[in-house]
Amino acid sequence: MASSSPPSPSFLTHLPLPLQPPSSSLQGEKRVSEDEPRVPIHVVTEASQLPADFLEPSPQSELIIGFDCEGVDLCRKGTLCIMQLAFPDAVYLVDAIEGGEELIKACKLALESKYITKVIHDCKRDSEALFFQFGIKLNNVVDTQIAYSLIEDQEGRTRLRDDYISFVGLLADPRYCGISYVEKEEVRDLLRQDPEFWTHRPLSELMVRAAADDVRFLLYIYHRMMEKLNERSLWYLAVRGALYCRCFCLNSNDFADWPSLPSIPDSLNADDNGPDEEILSVLDVPPGKMGRVIGKRGATILSIKAACNAEIHTGGPKGPPDKVFIIGPVKEVRKAEAMIRGRFLDM
């Protein structure tokens, strides 16, 4: 594939090295350690501006990248505006508004490849948008939200299975970054005032920096987490990440055309305490009855979560409005299904 040089970057950012703590704050370049490398932020409008080993994945050049998406009401019906890719030597902001569908689809091989690990915080809606808008089946993710919870479990801190940490909370945790993401709230305020914020072009300096900040620490966090995760947790991380990618991506063939779920390693099956198979179940809810299933202020869902070692997700305002998604060990998922169906009978 012919490729051109990346566009001349308008911005530089600091990228923490795997073994080096990041700076104490995201706000203000003067507060960033001079030892952290400065790397370019490239705004990409043509596929040829992306690295060749990303566009043409191979086992000879396996990659680990930070990954995120920005958009308007990001889901199956929203608008994906920017796809952020953090490499060790650069951050690429793939502009879906300027580059269009052709640009995003040029990334399909990479996003579906098992040779490229995509490090992301909460992949569900990103995966949904990529699947329904571009036909891309996001694959081989390391979801830092899942990894955080697995480490908490390993270290004996009790919590509900899907009591997940926010990205801002993860960055603030001194075990992983220990920084304050001040600009995130500024961007949230702008999004509340203007929901079309990410569609505006040309990209402002604030937009570029905010988009880059959402991925530039992910590789550092990834390495810190990999140091802590044991073999059992690594398997759970892989399979739950795959199930998260599928969570809102309903199709008619029960995901038969998606990559296979990671199998349980033989080394973990060597004793009677091996991990349980995990699945995704999708329940149909009678029209207009989702409120009864959820309960007042979520009380019903919370009670079911407390009784089952399973995650329960609903589409919320973004939809789909008539489905409940359950992720967990087969036995616990079936138990959650029965409890939810019991709510149908009470109606």
Side-chain angles (χ1 to χ4, degrees):
M1 176 182 293
S3 64
S4 61
S5 300
S8 298
S10 302
F11 303 96
L12 296 172
T13 190
H14 290 268
L15 202 69
L17 296 171
L19 299 178
Q20 175 185 19
S23 60
S24 60
S25 175
L26 279 169
Q27 191 175 42
E29 290 297 315
K30 291 181 180 179
R31 300 181 67 178
V32 177
S33 168
E34 293 301 321
D35 294 331
E36 290 181 9
R38 291 175 64 85
V39 301
I41 304 173
H42 300 297
V43 177
V44 173
T45 57
E46 298 179 4
S48 60
Q49 297 166 341
L50 289 165
D53 53 357
F54 172 78
L55 294 173
E56 300 177 345
S58 76
Q60 286 74 43
S61 56
E62 295 190 23
L63 300 174
I64 302 169
I65 63 170
F67 180 78
D68 191 30
C69 297
E70 305 293 350
V72 178
D73 197 23
L74 194 63
C75 63
R76 68 190 62 203
K77 296 179 180 178
T79 302
L80 191 153
C81 300
I82 300 173
M83 191 168 66
Q84 304 107 287
L85 312 172
F87 290 74
D89 58 354
V91 174
Y92 295 85
L93 305 183
V94 182
D95 190 343
I97 300 296
E98 293 291 329
E101 183 176 358
E102 180 180 358
L103 174 59
I104 302 301
K105 286 193 170 180
C107 301
K108 178 180 172 70
L109 282 178
L111 298 180
E112 295 184 347
S113 175
K114 65 180 180 180
Y115 304 122
I116 300 180
T117 300
K118 279 70 69 172
V119 183
I120 182 172
H121 191 82
D122 191 3
C123 66
K124 295 188 295 295
R125 290 300 185 185
D126 304 71
S127 180
E128 180 186 19
L130 290 167
F131 179 67
F132 283 102
Q133 295 178 37
F134 303 101
I136 294 171
K137 305 178 186 73
L138 187 61
N139 182 42
N140 194 25
V141 303
V142 168
D143 193 314
T144 54
Q145 198 175 62
I146 299 170
Y148 184 95
S149 294
L150 288 167
I151 293 169
E152 294 294 284
D153 290 343
Q154 273 187 203
E155 298 179 355
R157 285 180 281 274
T158 58
R159 38 166 285 285
L160 286 176
R161 177 170 162 138
D162 58 353
D163 180 19
Y164 281 124
I165 192 167
S166 69
F167 185 54
V168 172
L170 177 63
L171 289 177
D173 191 315
R175 294 172 296 170
Y176 303 106
C177 258
I179 61 172
S180 175
Y181 198 165
V182 180
E183 283 188 351
K184 188 72 170 179
E185 191 54 44
E186 180 182 353
V187 173
R188 284 175 176 165
D189 287 340
L190 290 172
L191 284 168
R192 284 190 283 267
Q193 298 167 25
D194 178 11
E196 304 293 315
F197 174 79
W198 288 112
T199 67
H200 300 314
R201 297 296 181 274
L203 293 169
S204 67
E205 179 175 354
L206 173 62
M207 295 169 78
V208 168
R209 294 202 180 281
D213 282 345
D214 276 353
V215 293
R216 70 184 178 104
F217 293 95
L218 285 172
L219 295 181
Y220 176 82
I221 293 170
Y222 167 84
H223 288 289
R224 297 299 297 269
M225 287 181 159
M226 290 301 109
E227 293 172 352
K228 297 175 179 289
L229 290 162
N230 61 31
E231 184 183 15
R232 187 186 185 95
S233 293
L234 286 170
W235 177 78
Y236 277 125
L237 179 62
V239 73
R240 289 178 190 172
L243 293 172
Y244 261 45
C245 286
R246 302 175 186 211
C247 184
F248 296 131
C249 299
L250 299 172
N251 64 6
S252 59
N253 61 5
D254 197 28
F255 304 104
D257 55 346
W258 282 63
S260 300
L261 293 176
S263 57
I264 300 174
D266 291 340
S267 56
L268 295 181
N269 271 330
D271 54 45
D272 295 333
N273 194 33
D276 296 322
E277 177 190 0
E278 302 228 332
I279 61 170
L280 164 67
S281 174
V282 182
L283 283 185
D284 293 315
V285 177
K289 301 299 183 180
M290 183 62 80
R292 183 67 182 273
V293 172
I294 294 173
K296 188 176 182 179
R297 296 184 179 178
T300 302
I301 290 291
L302 288 173
S303 66
I304 296 173
K305 288 178 181 178
C308 306
N309 183 27
E311 301 177 32
I312 304 173
H313 301 280
T314 60
K318 296 181 180 181
D322 57 350
K323 309 286 184 186
V324 174
F325 305 88
I326 310 170
I327 296 174
V330 177
K331 182 179 178 180
E332 299 299 322
V333 168
R334 300 304 180 219
K335 182 178 176 182
E337 288 175 342
M339 294 180 72
I340 293 172
R341 289 194 177 104
R343 298 299 299 172
F344 300 166
L345 298 176
D346 292 340
M347 294 172 184

